Amino acid sequence: MVKAEAVHKHFGRLEVLKGIDLEVAPGEVMCVLGPSGSGKSTFLRCVNHLEKIDAGRLWVNGHLMGYRQKGDRLYELRDREVSEQRREIGMVFQRFNLFPHMTAMENVCEAPVHVRRRSKAEARERGAALLERVGLSDKTDSYPSQLSGGQQQRVAIARALAMEPKLMLFDEPTSALDPELVGEVLEVMKQLALDGMTMIVVTHEIGFAREVGDTLVFLDGGVVVEKGTPEEVISNPRNRRTQDFLSRVL
């Protein structure tokens, strides 16, 4: 579903990603750990071309992301073509990014109506099912300001799912939440994994990574330091940097 090949990314003189090679199979849940500034969020944003890579290749569902290749040269796609590619990718951010002037239902229905051209009735029917799926069927007419952080994040997940993505990206989805609200969001994500959704999850929730992840990647300094099953990496890390990091967070 996702293939990254020698992906590099610079911000000015700062090299944030230094040759990332990763593959995510359909239905796989890959959890990405690493210290602040290690390149985790940047890599995630490169996957859906919110950030343009400076070297390498990134494919999503068999399609080169953001570019067309002719011979040995890459040509950047037009904005409309990139937007079409992004329709297959849902993304949930640290901050919920909900439209404050729209209800939960309106937030969920906005993109299906205006991007996928669904009828309002069809979008609302699916929106109701998605809000029920994330445990918020009683909050359809509530505005973001009337919801807790955990509820807002669950609306954000429902909004991403409304576009019927083949891949879900989560950028530390619980980091902005009060500790007692973390569980309700992780529970929704666990259910998504059980339903077979392909997911890349940048997280510090070690318990979630151990329970739900198929693969665990430790990123530091813009490179993949260690990769394996969650049990392998958490219980028996081989790299000294991974050992140091886990000793501080476990």
Side-chain angles (χ1 to χ4, degrees):
M1 182 62 74
V2 179
K3 182 179 180 181
E5 190 176 272
V7 170
H8 289 255
K9 175 64 185 176
H10 299 79
F11 291 105
R13 294 182 179 180
L14 179 65
E15 189 176 18
V16 180
L17 301 178
K18 303 176 182 178
I20 301 293
D21 293 298
L22 286 173
E23 290 190 19
V24 184
E28 180 178 348
V29 178
M30 176 179 284
C31 294
V32 184
L33 300 179
S36 179
S38 61
K40 309 183 301 296
S41 295
T42 298
F43 174 70
L44 214 60
R45 292 171 65 85
C46 287
V47 170
N48 64 0
H49 205 62
L50 286 176
E51 299 287 355
K52 301 175 185 178
I53 64 175
D54 295 310
R57 302 285 190 275
L58 251 172
W59 291 267
V60 175
N61 200 26
H63 301 290
L64 192 61
M65 196 65 200
Y67 297 92
R68 180 183 296 108
Q69 184 165 349
K70 288 188 177 180
D72 294 331
R73 298 193 63 182
L74 289 182
Y75 298 88
E76 189 168 3
L77 298 178
R78 290 173 292 183
D79 289 346
R80 179 178 56 80
E81 294 172 304
V82 174
S83 295
E84 288 176 1
Q85 288 187 323
R86 286 200 192 110
R87 292 182 187 184
E88 296 192 342
I89 306 171
M91 186 160 183
V92 178
F93 300 86
Q94 295 178 40
R95 298 289 175 178
F96 326 120
N97 292 354
L98 298 177
F99 296 115
H101 62 290
M102 293 183 180
T103 65
M105 176 65 80
E106 289 167 343
N107 265 282
V108 172
C109 292
E110 179 74 4
V113 170
H114 291 99
V115 178
R116 286 210 177 270
R117 304 300 179 189
R118 302 286 191 258
S119 69
K120 290 185 177 180
E122 184 182 357
R124 286 189 67 87
E125 182 179 355
R126 177 160 172 76
L130 287 170
L131 286 170
E132 181 177 2
R133 184 176 180 180
V134 300
L136 292 173
S137 56
D138 59 335
K139 300 294 183 182
T140 57
D141 297 324
S142 297
Y143 290 90
S145 62
Q146 298 170 315
L147 301 173
S148 70
Q151 289 170 334
Q152 290 185 62
Q153 194 62 296
R154 284 185 281 156
V155 173
I157 294 172
R159 180 178 62 178
L161 292 174
M163 289 293 286
E164 302 172 38
K166 294 182 171 66
L167 168 69
M168 285 287 287
L169 308 177
F170 292 88
D171 188 6
E172 298 191 36
T174 60
S175 64
L177 301 179
D178 292 333
E180 67 269 21
L181 301 177
V182 168
E184 63 190 47
V185 174
L186 293 181
E187 195 56 44
V188 171
M189 294 169 63
K190 288 177 188 177
Q191 192 56 55
L192 279 179
L194 289 172
D195 291 344
M197 176 63 74
T198 309
M199 298 159 62
I200 304 178
V201 184
V202 171
T203 184
H204 290 300
E205 300 291 339
I206 304 296
F208 174 85
R210 191 195 296 269
E211 181 182 351
V212 181
D214 298 300
T215 309
L216 184 59
V217 173
F218 178 67
L219 209 63
D220 188 34
V223 299
V224 176
V225 174
E226 195 157 347
K227 176 177 177 286
T229 68
E231 195 59 38
E232 289 170 346
V233 177
I234 294 169
S235 300
N236 190 30
R238 298 184 302 274
N239 188 281
R240 183 60 180 268
R241 182 67 188 94
T242 315
Q243 294 168 7
D244 290 344
F245 176 80
L246 290 172
S247 71
R248 290 182 172 92
V249 300
L250 287 175

